[in-house]
Amino acid sequence: MVVARSIALKAVNTASLWGLNRSRFGGLPKVQTVRALSTIMSPPSKAVVYEHHGPPDSVTRMIELPPVEVQENQVCVKMLAAPINPSDINRIEGVYPVRPQVPAVGGYEGVGEVYSVGSAVKGLSPGDLVIPSPPSSGTWQTYVVKDHDTWHKISKDSPIEYAATVTVNPLTAIRMLEDFTTLSAGDSIVQNGATSIVGQCVIQLARYRGIHSINIIRDRAGSDEVKERLKALGADEVFTESQLEVKNVKSLLSNIPEPALGLNCVGGHAASLVLKFLRQGGTMVTYGGMSKKPVTVSTSSLIFKDLSLRGFWLQKWLSADKAKECRDMVDYLLRLAQERKLKYEMELVPFDKFHSALEKALGKHGSQPKQVIKF
């Protein structure tokens, strides 16, 4: 579909070895014949790629990709920032349900600036700030060429690091608060994994709507400081798992009502703690399984409390013809970030330090902020 001109023997050889359509993966070129001088070409691109699935720190490498043609309905975007998400790691490992064919360029969300547009493109111009919305594979590279309808124009006042990370985690948080039960001001929710980006977003979005949050964190050194940070974001209660080893956890809630909604991204014992808090007829939504342990529920919880267990996968929600709704939600979340009503801890890392950031994202250096690559 997309052809590239030959710019140097080394670049041609690299592209030939990959033998792939760069547009399809957001960056892997297929070299054919030289085009006329009037053809719009992207600049050469530096990309993080993987040729087969496996441990991300072993199978990823950085290569140079030659220019590709920007066709009439396509847009070339100079990437500014892109995060390393757990789902990115799972795609490289080959365990995520939806993943690009290999070889592939890594990354799934990010933010960039329009560099050039094809002759038939309307509504986007060089200099516009854009994100792929819904997200699209291949964002870990300096220049991305994709069809114009991939890109969503956002306000130039949007904070770059939040624009790069707004979709996967904040959008997950807001959808779970809205899609499973009706919550009103004064209601409450309970969640584990409260220090995650989703967890931090849940706390702030709930507070913004007048909803109380009960938060569960792991027992670890510095847990008191973690509690204070989460309370500064708006958490009403923060408990370590060991604090909840009591007969009646609801006795710890003072004036907060029993929660109608529970959010679980850990599984195992941490999920059971969420279930203990739920009120009669409450719902627990599972959106992750960081402990890699199953969710177990007592028979009495199902019979006598009539609890419901649900799951949420953003990828499925996005595939249900939700492009416009996704973009509306993104704009709303970015306005909150611009107004400092939504914030979370991130570390911006230069692209040439990608593998150092990857090690942190893999947990090799303990708990770390969200790693965001800056191009």
Side-chain angles (χ1 to χ4, degrees), residues 66-83:
V68 298
E69 180 185 350
V70 181
Q71 296 186 355
E72 62 176 10
N73 288 312
Q74 292 184 323
V75 176
C76 175
V77 172
K78 181 182 185 297
M79 294 303 293
L80 300 176

Side-chain angles (χ1 to χ4, degrees), residues 11-319:
V12 172
N13 288 340
T14 299
S16 299
L17 284 172
W18 285 78
L20 289 171
N21 182 320
R22 176 171 169 183
S23 176
R24 178 180 177 188
F25 295 102
L28 301 180
K30 181 178 179 181
V31 176
Q32 293 183 2
T33 56
V34 177
R35 291 290 188 180
L37 292 177
S38 60
T39 298
I40 300 174
M41 305 297 293
S42 74
S45 187
K46 183 181 291 186
V48 171
V49 301
Y50 53 103
E51 299 175 61
H52 52 83
H53 296 123
D57 52 345
S58 299
V59 301
T60 56
R61 63 191 180 101
M62 194 174 292
I63 67 170
E64 297 282 345
L65 297 173
V68 298
E69 180 185 350
V70 181
Q71 296 186 355
E72 62 176 10
N73 288 312
Q74 292 184 323
V75 176
C76 175
V77 172
K78 181 182 185 297
M79 294 303 293
L80 300 176
I84 303 176
N85 288 317
S87 55
D88 296 322
I89 292 170
N90 292 156
R91 286 184 177 89
I92 297 170
E93 292 170 333
V95 299
Y96 203 73
V98 176
R99 54 189 182 270
Q101 296 179 10
V102 292
V105 174
Y108 187 60
E109 67 174 333
V111 62
E113 184 179 82
V114 173
Y115 181 82
S116 61
V117 299
S119 58
V121 172
K122 306 295 183 184
L124 290 175
S125 303
D128 286 344
L129 200 62
V130 294
I131 63 172
S133 180
S136 181
S137 295
T139 57
W140 292 350
Q141 59 180 315
T142 50
Y143 290 90
V144 178
V145 176
K146 287 182 180 287
D147 289 346
H148 75 283
D149 57 4
T150 300
W151 304 104
H152 173 49
K153 181 178 176 180
I154 60 174
S155 169
K156 288 189 177 182
D157 294 327
S158 301
I160 293 300
E161 65 272 27
Y162 287 95
T165 58
V166 68
T167 304
V168 171
N169 291 301
L171 190 56
T172 293
I174 198 169
R175 293 294 3 133
M176 291 193 298
L177 287 173
E178 293 188 355
D179 289 354
F180 294 94
T181 190
T182 301
L183 295 170
S184 303
D187 289 340
S188 70
I189 61 100
V190 57
Q191 66 170 343
N192 58 33
T195 58
S196 68
I197 299 296
V198 172
Q200 293 177 59
C201 291
V202 165
I203 290 170
Q204 294 168 90
L205 292 169
R207 182 188 186 185
Y208 188 62
R209 299 168 183 214
I211 298 166
H212 303 287
S213 67
I214 303 156
N215 302 273
I216 304 169
I217 62 174
R218 291 182 294 114
D219 287 275
R220 60 181 178 182
S223 59
D224 288 341
E225 290 80 3
V226 172
K227 289 180 181 181
E228 291 305 314
R229 287 204 302 271
L230 294 180
K231 287 184 177 181
L233 291 178
D236 291 273
E237 296 285 358
V238 184
F239 301 107
T240 60
E241 292 181 9
S242 63
Q243 285 181 288
L244 301 178
E245 298 301 328
V246 296
K247 186 173 182 179
N248 181 14
V249 296
K250 296 175 184 177
S251 65
L252 304 171
L253 291 185
S254 60
N255 296 322
I256 299 176
E258 292 177 295
L261 178 67
L263 306 177
N264 165 51
C265 67
V266 180
H269 179 59
S272 299
L273 293 175
V274 170
L275 290 169
K276 285 184 178 182
F277 275 105
L278 290 178
R279 75 184 186 195
Q280 182 81 17
T283 299
M284 182 175 79
V285 179
T286 293
Y287 66 99
M290 292 189 294
S291 71
K292 299 183 179 180
K293 295 179 181 178
V295 173
T296 58
V297 56
S298 68
T299 303
S300 62
S301 293
L302 295 174
I303 295 175
F304 302 119
K305 292 184 67 178
D306 191 26
L307 299 183
S308 298
L309 304 182
R310 302 286 302 277
F312 179 78
W313 184 28
L314 183 65
Q315 183 90 31
K316 182 178 180 181
W317 184 85
L318 290 171
S319 66

